[in-house]
Amino acid sequence: MPSTPHTSPSPPAPASPSPPPGAGSPVRAGQAPRAEPRRSRWARLVESDLLYSFIHSPVTVIAALVTLTIFTAALLAPVIAPHNPFDPATLNLMDGFSRPMKANEVTGNVYWLGTDAQGRDLFSAILYGSRVSILVGFAAVAFAALLGITLGLIAGYRGGWVDSLIMRIADVQLSFPAILVALLIFGVFKGVVPPALQDRMAVYVLVVAIGLSDWVQYARTVRSSTLAEKNKEYVQAARVIGVPAWSILLRHILPNVMGPVLVIATIGLALAIILESTLSFLGVGVPPTQPSLGTLIRVGQDYLFSGEWWIVFFPGLTLLLLALAVNLLGDWLRDALNPRLRR
């Protein structure tokens, strides 16, 4: 009987390695990998370089706190202010020239920052005056940005004689200081509008005057960015498929040129507030019934050398802190949005 050959048993197949904990089930052949859950905007903000740069810059944090404090105090002026400086019925001439934190010799009233010649509480006047200055500053920056961005997009995208015309107008305006342009607009306003309507329209004219004197830098910046963006592939692809020009400008080019605009707008806010205060100091800004920081400084400078120093000191200090804090925020934003300038 023939013997059967002896065969050795085949070795067992090696076991597949188990996936590490938390890795999920392995991806099989022909199966699409699972998409990672989308992070929320708050999570992306926390992990962004912008927030990291802000937290690790003590000067920027202090500037942001000062700006937020002044903005909040101005916004809540009717709630925080002890008196309404716009209501003559609440004023007492006997409280005039009260020194800061000292009782008045006649009435015995104590005011934190003193009073002016009319007995107005300077703390309340500064709160209400800051509201006017900040409101005019924001409105002027918004108007200048809207006008400059629109003209810059048109000049950069269309090119040709349209670009040349807009840029030559911008060059001519740059040869004049902004305050002279604003004074010229106010002069035209005084000659055209009837005197009975001048006080009512003074704030609106002030916004237009500051905005028209500050639109050039927005237009030049947006134009240069548009010239670089319009030749890129995504813009060319949008043209090929027949997307209208206005849609290309608003949906494709505009979001990619807003970085420098935000920096200019932040710094421009401080410049607009200073320009408004300068015009009000010269007597061509808001009417005396709506005092701003510039109006308070103009009133206080008459008493600067007669011993009532606080009337001009505290409004000037508020304007200095506000302009400096906003400027520091603009400088940080410029460095944070430009990788080449990051330290």
Side-chain angles (χ1 to χ4, degrees):
M1 180 176 181
S3 61
T4 59
H6 178 73
T7 59
S8 61
S10 59
S16 59
S18 60
S25 59
V27 179
R28 298 178 180 178
Q31 181 181 2
R34 294 182 180 179
E36 296 183 359
R38 187 176 182 181
R39 295 181 300 172
S40 63
R41 293 183 178 180
W42 174 253
R44 285 179 289 175
L45 177 62
V46 171
E47 299 176 2
S48 65
D49 296 336
L50 194 65
L51 182 61
Y52 179 85
S53 173
F54 176 80
I55 295 176
H56 289 78
S57 177
V59 175
T60 305
V61 174
I62 295 175
L65 291 177
V66 172
T67 304
L68 183 61
T69 301
I70 297 177
F71 281 12
T72 304
L75 181 64
L76 301 178
V79 180
I80 300 176
H83 302 87
N84 186 359
F86 300 111
D87 187 5
T90 62
L91 302 180
N92 187 359
L93 295 178
M94 303 302 294
D95 285 328
F97 298 122
S98 297
R99 303 183 73 87
M101 298 300 296
K102 290 186 178 180
N104 185 273
E105 297 177 357
V106 179
T107 62
N109 296 328
V110 179
Y111 298 92
W112 292 352
L113 304 182
T115 61
D116 59 3
Q118 301 176 3
R120 291 186 302 183
D121 177 30
L122 272 184
F123 177 70
S124 302
I126 289 174
L127 291 180
Y128 279 90
S130 300
R131 294 184 78 187
V132 177
S133 298
I134 293 173
L135 174 63
V136 172
F138 270 108
V141 168
F143 177 71
L146 179 62
L147 180 61
I149 291 173
T150 302
L151 295 178
L153 287 173
I154 295 174
Y157 190 78
R158 289 293 301 273
W161 66 271
V162 176
D163 182 19
S164 301
L165 178 61
I166 295 176
M167 289 299 101
R168 295 301 77 77
I169 295 176
D171 293 339
V172 171
Q173 182 166 334
L174 283 177
S175 62
F176 297 95
I179 189 171
L180 291 183
V181 177
L183 288 174
L184 175 63
I185 297 174
F186 258 99
V188 175
F189 163 73
K190 292 285 186 180
V192 174
V193 179
L197 299 177
Q198 290 182 2
D199 288 347
R200 296 181 183 178
M201 300 180 61
V203 175
Y204 302 101
V205 176
L206 188 61
V207 170
V208 173
I210 297 176
L212 289 178
S213 63
D214 200 33
W215 66 272
V216 175
Q217 54 182 342
Y218 295 95
R220 294 172 67 92
T221 302
V222 172
R223 170 188 174 270
S224 61
S225 300
T226 303
L227 289 174
E229 294 292 330
K230 74 175 185 178
N231 294 322
K232 293 186 176 179
E233 294 181 355
Y234 70 95
V235 177
Q236 300 294 337
R239 287 177 179 174
V240 170
I241 63 177
V243 177
W246 64 268
S247 180
I248 295 176
L249 289 175
L250 296 180
R251 298 182 59 184
H252 300 282
I253 296 181
L254 181 59
N256 292 312
V257 302
M258 287 301 295
V261 171
L262 292 177
V263 177
I264 296 175
T266 305
I267 299 177
L269 176 61
L271 297 178
I273 293 175
I274 293 176
L275 184 56
E276 181 277 327
S277 300
T278 303
L279 293 173
S280 298
F281 180 83
L282 296 176
V284 295
V286 295
T289 56
Q290 296 178 339
S292 66
L293 293 177
T295 307
L296 297 176
I297 295 174
R298 175 169 61 87
V299 172
Q301 62 96 21
D302 295 334
Y303 307 98
L304 182 60
F305 298 103
S306 61
E308 291 80 15
W309 52 269
W310 60 89
I311 302 178
V312 68
F313 175 77
F314 291 114
L317 179 62
T318 304
L319 178 61
L320 173 65
L321 291 177
L322 179 59
L324 180 61
V326 175
N327 263 324
L328 290 176
L329 286 177
D331 291 340
W332 163 79
L333 189 61
R334 178 198 60 194
D335 297 343
L337 293 179
N338 191 347
R340 298 179 180 179
L341 298 179
R342 292 177 185 172
R343 296 182 178 90

